[in-house]
Amino acid sequence: MTRLLPIALVQSPATPQSIRADTTLASFTTQLEGLTQRYTDTQLFVFPELHLNPTGDASHHETEALIEAMAEPIDGKRNRLLAEIAGDLRIWLIPGSFYERGDDGLIYNTTAVYSPEGQRVASYRKVFPWRPHEKVSAGDRFVVFDMAGFGRIGLSICYDSWFPEASRHLAWMGAELIVNVVLTPTSDRAQEVTLNRANAIANQVFVASVNAAAPDGLGRSLLIDPQGRVCVESTSSESTVLTDVIDLDEVHAVRQHGTGGVTRPWQQFEGIDDSIPLPLYDGALTPEKWHPQCSADQPTTA
């Protein structure tokens, strides 16, 4: 059995901003239409963090004003247009992230997922904003979604990758692929590359990390398999599109047979171990909960 997912990571500068949000989305639509004509078999297109809401080199006060102006409710006009784009092109779309104004009046850095049926199927608010620089409010939950016919995908935004708890929870929730959208213009992109490989290895999942291209980001996007091997990567900040076809059944195979045919972290507990206190979390690691959940498309563990 194979579950083949053709994926495109679009390492691109941010979409040029306009006073009118629909003009910005029109530019994005043109870009995406060109990509779907070139990559005709690709099912999932992923763009970098804040691809539709860049603030560029604006000053601190200018940035705050821009964020206020760009933030929209999750069900606003931008959402309707993105859903329409995905439906018209018959693709799965993760358009990076954007500024969302919640019902509570707070602003979040949010990513969303749109289906070939023209529906928003998931949204995720960044749990770990880059403090002290990123002033948006933090989300309070991790999010996975099911791609019918493929499997379960987890959502992650930039700095989330620095916290192993985020990737661990997504994997525990059944994610077979973690999509990490990024806007990193700083030299620590080198460390992020290493962290993404580590997250893939520790959780035995695919990880796709797509950063913005110059002048907005340092690039170095990559796609990693469940054993930590790089499937495809960019070694520069230039605009590029990384494409590959991944088999989500590899996740099941690696967990069953072990990384390198040896290591099976998700089979660590066999009913003979006690719970392990986790004082950092004021909780415990409980053996009977140490099993990833499954989507309807995932094979069950033998």
Side-chain angles (χ1 to χ4, degrees), residues 193 220-223 230-235 242:
V193 168
R220 298 193 64 183
S221 301
L222 72 166
L223 175 65
V230 176
C231 304
V232 62
E233 66 179 326
S234 166
T235 58
L242 303 178

Side-chain angles (χ1 to χ4, degrees), residues 18-168:
S18 168
I19 295 175
R20 295 178 55 190
D22 53 351
T23 303
T24 298
L25 284 170
S27 176
F28 176 65
T29 302
T30 300
Q31 178 188 19
L32 190 53
E33 286 175 343
L35 291 172
T36 57
Q37 290 168 9
R38 178 177 298 179
Y39 305 106
T40 55
D41 292 331
T42 297
Q43 296 290 318
L44 173 62
F45 288 84
V46 185
F47 289 80
E49 180 184 20
L50 298 176
H51 184 69
L52 298 174
N53 285 165
T55 57
D57 295 326
S59 68
H60 174 70
H61 292 298
E62 290 172 336
T63 297
E64 287 185 337
L66 282 170
I67 292 173
E68 284 286 339
M70 290 187 291
E72 293 184 23
I74 190 65
D75 289 320
K77 184 176 182 179
R78 175 178 55 207
N79 173 76
R80 293 192 295 274
L81 290 173
L82 288 170
E84 183 178 308
I85 292 167
D88 288 346
L89 297 176
R90 302 299 297 169
I91 59 169
W92 287 90
L93 173 63
I94 301 178
S97 70
F98 43 72
Y99 291 114
E100 175 207 352
R101 189 178 299 278
D103 293 338
D104 52 11
L106 300 176
I107 295 177
Y108 300 90
N109 183 347
T110 299
T111 189
V113 183
Y114 299 90
S115 73
E117 289 71 41
Q119 302 291 325
R120 189 186 76 245
V121 298
S123 63
Y124 163 70
R125 294 169 171 173
K126 189 175 185 178
V127 169
F128 296 104
W130 189 38
R131 305 296 194 216
H133 308 284
E134 194 174 4
K135 303 299 184 182
V136 297
S137 297
D140 62 0
R141 68 200 65 189
F142 301 110
V143 173
V144 297
F145 71 96
D146 290 330
M147 285 184 67
F150 296 103
R152 185 166 291 176
I153 316 298
L155 300 174
S156 169
I157 301 177
C158 204
Y159 199 40
D160 289 333
S161 68
W162 288 75
F163 296 84
E165 299 85 351
S167 296
R168 177 70 83 200

Side-chain angles (χ1 to χ4, degrees), residues 173-185:
M173 293 167 73
E176 298 163 288
L177 164 66
I178 295 174
V179 174
N180 177 236
V181 299
V182 182
L183 178 57
T184 297

